[in-house]
Amino acid sequence: MAQLVPILHDEISTELTLHRGLPDQMNMFPRFRYMGSKYRLMDWLNSTLQDLPFTSALDAFSGSGVVSYLLKSMGKQVCTNDSLHFPYVLSQALIQNNATRLLAEDIELVLSGRAASSEDKFIQRTFSDIFYTPSELEFLDNAWAGLREFRSPIKRSLVLAALLRSCIKRQPRGVFTVSGIGEKYNDGRRDLRLSLEEHFVEQVALYNRAVFSNGMQNSSYHGNIFSHGPGDVDLVYMDPPYVPRSDDNCYMKRYHFLEGLSCYWDGLEIMQTSKVKKIKKPYTPFGYRKEAIDAFDQMFRQFSDSILVLSYSSNAYPGLDSLVSLMKKYKRSVEVLKKPHRYHFGTHVAAKRNVVEEYLIVGM
Ligand SMILES: C[S@@+](CC[C@H](N)C(=O)[O-])C[C@H]1O[C@@H](n2cnc3c(N)ncnc32)[C@H](O)[C@@H]1O
């Protein structure tokens, strides 16, 4: 008989349990280390959203998927969107998916996969001596060979979500800007001691446990938010990237390996001169000072029929006053909620800059 994969090691964070107002389901979310993740603002977001009248919502820049997971846990009909492919895969696995879990035979299919051709050994050929050990790179190619046998797109997304979270946990500092090989960042943490395959088996169990139905038909999309159309939703949650102060705000630069892994680099252009084999940075108007104001204006207009909720921060451009004025063009009432927040990302020098005031700008 088909069996579910057991949980070998329970490492779900208990951090969210402290917030009693959050739906219990939030404790099942496999926290994904992601730049700008709103994981630590869940309590605040939950209490703000609870007071608003809506039953359907679009998470327009879903990233790690934690806000979508909150919305789903609140019983809302959720639609997710992100211009990167791997956040889309993460959302497909836990937001769009209401019921599918991986069985022992599914895991067997992944673990017994064998990459035969040189084409199927792309990861070993491309990333040796850059990320992970040779046997781990072989594991990833083999896992992908097994994955190609899957018929169900949702099962594929669950396998990929487990692989993605394994890779980010196993990578020192959780970013792919520098090679992960060598002892420099290895502080002996369990995440760095476990092999990718050991991580994977654990992650499958965690993702299986995180799957749930909220009785709604939820959906996930991958694309530029401006191609999405207005969407027929009561509320749009917007958490776009901020105009960078330096060059370290690029999602592709940090997570190119995850982006590639989520589609086996299909159709992606690798910059061959890059030491870590980065993928070319995609364009987003939110990344440029000259274009950001127009981008916000266009986005507020696009979703003007919905309640607008924008996450923003005091260290970003454009400033709060400009954004409030822009939103007031389309909404009768605009309210700003504020909360001090410390971001984890950044070097020591930049760390000061990472203590910011976080805003929720709500337009009704
Ligand atoms: C601040 S992060 C979102 C974080 C997310 N709310 C969370 O809690 O994990 C911004 C996201 O916007 C995505 N993005 C950037 N430009 C975009 C665009 N034009 N359309 C859709 N998504 C975009 C990035 O890939 C990134 O995942």
PDB file of all heavy atoms in Angstrom, residues 40 245-246 248 254 315 341-357:
ATOM      1  N   ARG A  40       8.674  37.421   9.919  1.00  0.00           N
ATOM      2  CA  ARG A  40       8.695  37.954  11.281  1.00  0.00           C
ATOM      3  C   ARG A  40       7.654  39.054  11.514  1.00  0.00           C
ATOM      4  O   ARG A  40       7.528  39.557  12.613  1.00  0.00           O
ATOM      5  CB  ARG A  40      10.111  38.419  11.635  1.00  0.00           C
ATOM      6  CG  ARG A  40      11.046  37.206  11.801  1.00  0.00           C
ATOM      7  CD  ARG A  40      12.500  37.581  11.836  1.00  0.00           C
ATOM      8  NE  ARG A  40      12.867  38.274  13.049  1.00  0.00           N
ATOM      9  CZ  ARG A  40      13.470  39.462  13.079  1.00  0.00           C
ATOM     10  NH1 ARG A  40      13.756  40.083  11.962  1.00  0.00           N
ATOM     11  NH2 ARG A  40      13.785  40.013  14.221  1.00  0.00           N
ATOM     12  N   ARG A 245      20.043  50.476  -2.476  1.00  0.00           N
ATOM     13  CA  ARG A 245      21.011  51.547  -2.183  1.00  0.00           C
ATOM     14  C   ARG A 245      22.355  51.170  -2.774  1.00  0.00           C
ATOM     15  O   ARG A 245      23.131  51.997  -3.163  1.00  0.00           O
ATOM     16  CB  ARG A 245      21.185  51.679  -0.676  1.00  0.00           C
ATOM     17  CG  ARG A 245      19.951  52.256  -0.067  1.00  0.00           C
ATOM     18  CD  ARG A 245      20.218  52.547   1.389  1.00  0.00           C
ATOM     19  NE  ARG A 245      19.066  53.226   1.919  1.00  0.00           N
ATOM     20  CZ  ARG A 245      19.134  54.313   2.667  1.00  0.00           C
ATOM     21  NH1 ARG A 245      20.299  54.810   2.979  1.00  0.00           N
ATOM     22  NH2 ARG A 245      18.042  54.872   3.120  1.00  0.00           N
ATOM     23  N   SER A 246      22.623  49.877  -2.760  1.00  0.00           N
ATOM     24  CA  SER A 246      23.846  49.407  -3.402  1.00  0.00           C
ATOM     25  C   SER A 246      23.390  48.278  -4.311  1.00  0.00           C
ATOM     26  O   SER A 246      22.213  48.102  -4.536  1.00  0.00           O
ATOM     27  CB  SER A 246      24.814  48.895  -2.348  1.00  0.00           C
ATOM     28  OG  SER A 246      24.209  47.822  -1.676  1.00  0.00           O
ATOM     29  N   ASP A 248      23.149  45.206  -3.798  1.00  0.00           N
ATOM     30  CA  ASP A 248      22.940  43.910  -3.159  1.00  0.00           C
ATOM     31  C   ASP A 248      21.458  43.596  -2.928  1.00  0.00           C
ATOM     32  O   ASP A 248      21.104  42.875  -2.031  1.00  0.00           O
ATOM     33  CB  ASP A 248      23.759  43.781  -1.870  1.00  0.00           C
ATOM     34  CG  ASP A 248      23.131  44.552  -0.733  1.00  0.00           C
ATOM     35  OD1 ASP A 248      22.220  45.342  -1.001  1.00  0.00           O
ATOM     36  OD2 ASP A 248      23.552  44.334   0.406  1.00  0.00           O
ATOM     37  N   ARG A 254      21.252  36.653  -5.631  1.00  0.00           N
ATOM     38  CA  ARG A 254      21.309  35.833  -4.414  1.00  0.00           C
ATOM     39  C   ARG A 254      20.842  34.398  -4.626  1.00  0.00           C
ATOM     40  O   ARG A 254      21.343  33.473  -4.006  1.00  0.00           O
ATOM     41  CB  ARG A 254      20.416  36.435  -3.328  1.00  0.00           C
ATOM     42  CG  ARG A 254      21.019  37.632  -2.668  1.00  0.00           C
ATOM     43  CD  ARG A 254      20.022  38.274  -1.751  1.00  0.00           C
ATOM     44  NE  ARG A 254      20.549  39.523  -1.235  1.00  0.00           N
ATOM     45  CZ  ARG A 254      21.204  39.637  -0.083  1.00  0.00           C
ATOM     46  NH1 ARG A 254      21.382  38.572   0.669  1.00  0.00           N
ATOM     47  NH2 ARG A 254      21.677  40.778   0.312  1.00  0.00           N
ATOM     48  N   ASN A 315      13.530  52.769   4.759  1.00  0.00           N
ATOM     49  CA  ASN A 315      14.819  52.998   4.093  1.00  0.00           C
ATOM     50  C   ASN A 315      14.719  52.845   2.573  1.00  0.00           C
ATOM     51  O   ASN A 315      15.708  52.666   1.899  1.00  0.00           O
ATOM     52  CB  ASN A 315      15.906  52.068   4.658  1.00  0.00           C
ATOM     53  CG  ASN A 315      15.716  50.638   4.235  1.00  0.00           C
ATOM     54  OD1 ASN A 315      14.617  50.254   3.810  1.00  0.00           O
ATOM     55  ND2 ASN A 315      16.756  49.834   4.327  1.00  0.00           N
ATOM     56  N   HIS A 341      11.377  47.402  12.765  1.00  0.00           N
ATOM     57  CA  HIS A 341      11.708  46.042  12.315  1.00  0.00           C
ATOM     58  C   HIS A 341      13.198  45.966  11.978  1.00  0.00           C
ATOM     59  O   HIS A 341      13.770  46.902  11.439  1.00  0.00           O
ATOM     60  CB  HIS A 341      10.881  45.720  11.065  1.00  0.00           C
ATOM     61  CG  HIS A 341      11.101  44.337  10.528  1.00  0.00           C
ATOM     62  ND1 HIS A 341      10.888  43.203  11.265  1.00  0.00           N
ATOM     63  CD2 HIS A 341      11.510  43.905   9.304  1.00  0.00           C
ATOM     64  CE1 HIS A 341      11.152  42.141  10.536  1.00  0.00           C
ATOM     65  NE2 HIS A 341      11.533  42.531   9.348  1.00  0.00           N
ATOM     66  N   ARG A 342      13.794  44.832  12.318  1.00  0.00           N
ATOM     67  CA  ARG A 342      15.212  44.654  11.975  1.00  0.00           C
ATOM     68  C   ARG A 342      15.338  43.531  10.943  1.00  0.00           C
ATOM     69  O   ARG A 342      14.856  42.429  11.163  1.00  0.00           O
ATOM     70  CB  ARG A 342      16.016  44.274  13.218  1.00  0.00           C
ATOM     71  CG  ARG A 342      17.492  44.019  12.934  1.00  0.00           C
ATOM     72  CD  ARG A 342      18.151  43.453  14.171  1.00  0.00           C
ATOM     73  NE  ARG A 342      18.292  44.465  15.211  1.00  0.00           N
ATOM     74  CZ  ARG A 342      19.302  45.312  15.293  1.00  0.00           C
ATOM     75  NH1 ARG A 342      20.283  45.254  14.437  1.00  0.00           N
ATOM     76  NH2 ARG A 342      19.359  46.190  16.270  1.00  0.00           N
ATOM     77  N   TYR A 343      15.967  43.863   9.833  1.00  0.00           N
ATOM     78  CA  TYR A 343      16.197  42.830   8.824  1.00  0.00           C
ATOM     79  C   TYR A 343      17.472  42.067   9.122  1.00  0.00           C
ATOM     80  O   TYR A 343      18.432  42.626   9.622  1.00  0.00           O
ATOM     81  CB  TYR A 343      16.281  43.456   7.419  1.00  0.00           C
ATOM     82  CG  TYR A 343      14.920  43.691   6.836  1.00  0.00           C
ATOM     83  CD1 TYR A 343      14.333  44.945   6.878  1.00  0.00           C
ATOM     84  CD2 TYR A 343      14.199  42.642   6.287  1.00  0.00           C
ATOM     85  CE1 TYR A 343      13.075  45.153   6.367  1.00  0.00           C
ATOM     86  CE2 TYR A 343      12.934  42.844   5.788  1.00  0.00           C
ATOM     87  CZ  TYR A 343      12.376  44.093   5.826  1.00  0.00           C
ATOM     88  OH  TYR A 343      11.131  44.280   5.337  1.00  0.00           O
ATOM     89  N   HIS A 344      17.470  40.792   8.763  1.00  0.00           N
ATOM     90  CA  HIS A 344      18.631  39.953   9.022  1.00  0.00           C
ATOM     91  C   HIS A 344      19.736  40.097   7.988  1.00  0.00           C
ATOM     92  O   HIS A 344      20.871  39.809   8.225  1.00  0.00           O
ATOM     93  CB  HIS A 344      18.220  38.477   9.027  1.00  0.00           C
ATOM     94  CG  HIS A 344      17.642  38.067  10.332  1.00  0.00           C
ATOM     95  ND1 HIS A 344      18.256  38.330  11.517  1.00  0.00           N
ATOM     96  CD2 HIS A 344      16.499  37.420  10.644  1.00  0.00           C
ATOM     97  CE1 HIS A 344      17.528  37.852  12.520  1.00  0.00           C
ATOM     98  NE2 HIS A 344      16.445  37.299  12.004  1.00  0.00           N
ATOM     99  N   PHE A 345      19.317  40.502   6.790  1.00  0.00           N
ATOM    100  CA  PHE A 345      20.290  40.503   5.713  1.00  0.00           C
ATOM    101  C   PHE A 345      21.226  41.697   5.790  1.00  0.00           C
ATOM    102  O   PHE A 345      20.929  42.713   6.371  1.00  0.00           O
ATOM    103  CB  PHE A 345      19.576  40.482   4.363  1.00  0.00           C
ATOM    104  CG  PHE A 345      19.111  39.102   4.004  1.00  0.00           C
ATOM    105  CD1 PHE A 345      17.808  38.726   4.260  1.00  0.00           C
ATOM    106  CD2 PHE A 345      19.978  38.177   3.465  1.00  0.00           C
ATOM    107  CE1 PHE A 345      17.369  37.458   3.961  1.00  0.00           C
ATOM    108  CE2 PHE A 345      19.541  36.902   3.151  1.00  0.00           C
ATOM    109  CZ  PHE A 345      18.241  36.541   3.400  1.00  0.00           C
ATOM    110  N   GLY A 346      22.369  41.557   5.163  1.00  0.00           N
ATOM    111  CA  GLY A 346      23.310  42.668   5.083  1.00  0.00           C
ATOM    112  C   GLY A 346      24.587  42.328   5.804  1.00  0.00           C
ATOM    113  O   GLY A 346      24.614  41.492   6.701  1.00  0.00           O
ATOM    114  N   THR A 347      25.669  42.985   5.397  1.00  0.00           N
ATOM    115  CA  THR A 347      26.942  42.772   6.056  1.00  0.00           C
ATOM    116  C   THR A 347      26.912  43.544   7.365  1.00  0.00           C
ATOM    117  O   THR A 347      25.963  44.252   7.654  1.00  0.00           O
ATOM    118  CB  THR A 347      28.073  43.336   5.188  1.00  0.00           C
ATOM    119  OG1 THR A 347      27.819  44.733   5.069  1.00  0.00           O
ATOM    120  CG2 THR A 347      28.115  42.684   3.831  1.00  0.00           C
ATOM    121  N   HIS A 348      27.989  43.427   8.132  1.00  0.00           N
ATOM    122  CA  HIS A 348      28.008  44.094   9.418  1.00  0.00           C
ATOM    123  C   HIS A 348      27.873  45.606   9.250  1.00  0.00           C
ATOM    124  O   HIS A 348      27.138  46.271   9.958  1.00  0.00           O
ATOM    125  CB  HIS A 348      29.269  43.739  10.182  1.00  0.00           C
ATOM    126  CG  HIS A 348      29.155  44.150  11.621  1.00  0.00           C
ATOM    127  ND1 HIS A 348      28.246  43.564  12.466  1.00  0.00           N
ATOM    128  CD2 HIS A 348      29.775  45.108  12.324  1.00  0.00           C
ATOM    129  CE1 HIS A 348      28.334  44.137  13.647  1.00  0.00           C
ATOM    130  NE2 HIS A 348      29.253  45.073  13.588  1.00  0.00           N
ATOM    131  N   VAL A 349      28.570  46.135   8.261  1.00  0.00           N
ATOM    132  CA  VAL A 349      28.543  47.582   8.026  1.00  0.00           C
ATOM    133  C   VAL A 349      27.127  48.023   7.671  1.00  0.00           C
ATOM    134  O   VAL A 349      26.631  49.048   8.119  1.00  0.00           O
ATOM    135  CB  VAL A 349      29.497  47.953   6.860  1.00  0.00           C
ATOM    136  CG1 VAL A 349      29.459  49.456   6.591  1.00  0.00           C
ATOM    137  CG2 VAL A 349      30.896  47.489   7.189  1.00  0.00           C
ATOM    138  N   ALA A 350      26.461  47.210   6.876  1.00  0.00           N
ATOM    139  CA  ALA A 350      25.117  47.571   6.422  1.00  0.00           C
ATOM    140  C   ALA A 350      24.063  47.296   7.491  1.00  0.00           C
ATOM    141  O   ALA A 350      22.935  47.745   7.377  1.00  0.00           O
ATOM    142  CB  ALA A 350      24.774  46.789   5.159  1.00  0.00           C
ATOM    143  N   ALA A 351      24.477  46.569   8.553  1.00  0.00           N
ATOM    144  CA  ALA A 351      23.492  46.100   9.526  1.00  0.00           C
ATOM    145  C   ALA A 351      22.704  47.239  10.159  1.00  0.00           C
ATOM    146  O   ALA A 351      21.519  47.115  10.387  1.00  0.00           O
ATOM    147  CB  ALA A 351      24.180  45.277  10.607  1.00  0.00           C
ATOM    148  N   LYS A 352      23.361  48.375  10.398  1.00  0.00           N
ATOM    149  CA  LYS A 352      22.680  49.516  10.998  1.00  0.00           C
ATOM    150  C   LYS A 352      21.499  49.935  10.125  1.00  0.00           C
ATOM    151  O   LYS A 352      20.431  50.226  10.592  1.00  0.00           O
ATOM    152  CB  LYS A 352      23.649  50.694  11.074  1.00  0.00           C
ATOM    153  CG  LYS A 352      24.342  50.802  12.385  1.00  0.00           C
ATOM    154  CD  LYS A 352      25.063  52.152  12.442  1.00  0.00           C
ATOM    155  CE  LYS A 352      26.190  52.052  13.431  1.00  0.00           C
ATOM    156  NZ  LYS A 352      27.345  52.808  13.024  1.00  0.00           N
ATOM    157  N   ARG A 353      21.792  49.967   8.832  1.00  0.00           N
ATOM    158  CA  ARG A 353      20.802  50.415   7.877  1.00  0.00           C
ATOM    159  C   ARG A 353      19.587  49.478   7.885  1.00  0.00           C
ATOM    160  O   ARG A 353      18.522  49.821   7.435  1.00  0.00           O
ATOM    161  CB  ARG A 353      21.441  50.409   6.487  1.00  0.00           C
ATOM    162  CG  ARG A 353      20.786  51.336   5.527  1.00  0.00           C
ATOM    163  CD  ARG A 353      21.563  51.398   4.239  1.00  0.00           C
ATOM    164  NE  ARG A 353      21.593  50.139   3.555  1.00  0.00           N
ATOM    165  CZ  ARG A 353      22.629  49.676   2.898  1.00  0.00           C
ATOM    166  NH1 ARG A 353      23.743  50.344   2.888  1.00  0.00           N
ATOM    167  NH2 ARG A 353      22.573  48.532   2.258  1.00  0.00           N
ATOM    168  N   ASN A 354      19.811  48.271   8.393  1.00  0.00           N
ATOM    169  CA  ASN A 354      18.744  47.288   8.348  1.00  0.00           C
ATOM    170  C   ASN A 354      17.767  47.398   9.512  1.00  0.00           C
ATOM    171  O   ASN A 354      16.841  46.612   9.606  1.00  0.00           O
ATOM    172  CB  ASN A 354      19.323  45.868   8.268  1.00  0.00           C
ATOM    173  CG  ASN A 354      19.935  45.635   6.900  1.00  0.00           C
ATOM    174  OD1 ASN A 354      19.660  46.390   5.969  1.00  0.00           O
ATOM    175  ND2 ASN A 354      20.754  44.615   6.794  1.00  0.00           N
ATOM    176  N   VAL A 355      18.004  48.343  10.422  1.00  0.00           N
ATOM    177  CA  VAL A 355      16.991  48.611  11.435  1.00  0.00           C
ATOM    178  C   VAL A 355      16.093  49.685  10.828  1.00  0.00           C
ATOM    179  O   VAL A 355      16.521  50.815  10.635  1.00  0.00           O
ATOM    180  CB  VAL A 355      17.616  49.133  12.742  1.00  0.00           C
ATOM    181  CG1 VAL A 355      16.533  49.366  13.788  1.00  0.00           C
ATOM    182  CG2 VAL A 355      18.648  48.161  13.254  1.00  0.00           C
ATOM    183  N   VAL A 356      14.894  49.304  10.495  1.00  0.00           N
ATOM    184  CA  VAL A 356      14.028  50.225   9.754  1.00  0.00           C
ATOM    185  C   VAL A 356      12.648  50.278  10.392  1.00  0.00           C
ATOM    186  O   VAL A 356      12.317  49.463  11.250  1.00  0.00           O
ATOM    187  CB  VAL A 356      13.850  49.763   8.285  1.00  0.00           C
ATOM    188  CG1 VAL A 356      15.158  49.762   7.541  1.00  0.00           C
ATOM    189  CG2 VAL A 356      13.181  48.404   8.221  1.00  0.00           C
ATOM    190  N   GLU A 357      11.878  51.263   9.930  1.00  0.00           N
ATOM    191  CA  GLU A 357      10.484  51.262  10.318  1.00  0.00           C
ATOM    192  C   GLU A 357       9.728  50.606   9.168  1.00  0.00           C
ATOM    193  O   GLU A 357       9.938  50.959   8.001  1.00  0.00           O
ATOM    194  CB  GLU A 357      10.002  52.692  10.525  1.00  0.00           C
ATOM    195  CG  GLU A 357       8.805  52.742  11.414  1.00  0.00           C
ATOM    196  CD  GLU A 357       8.520  54.169  11.894  1.00  0.00           C
ATOM    197  OE1 GLU A 357       8.830  55.130  11.181  1.00  0.00           O
ATOM    198  OE2 GLU A 357       7.980  54.286  12.991  1.00  0.00           O
TER     199      GLU A 357
END
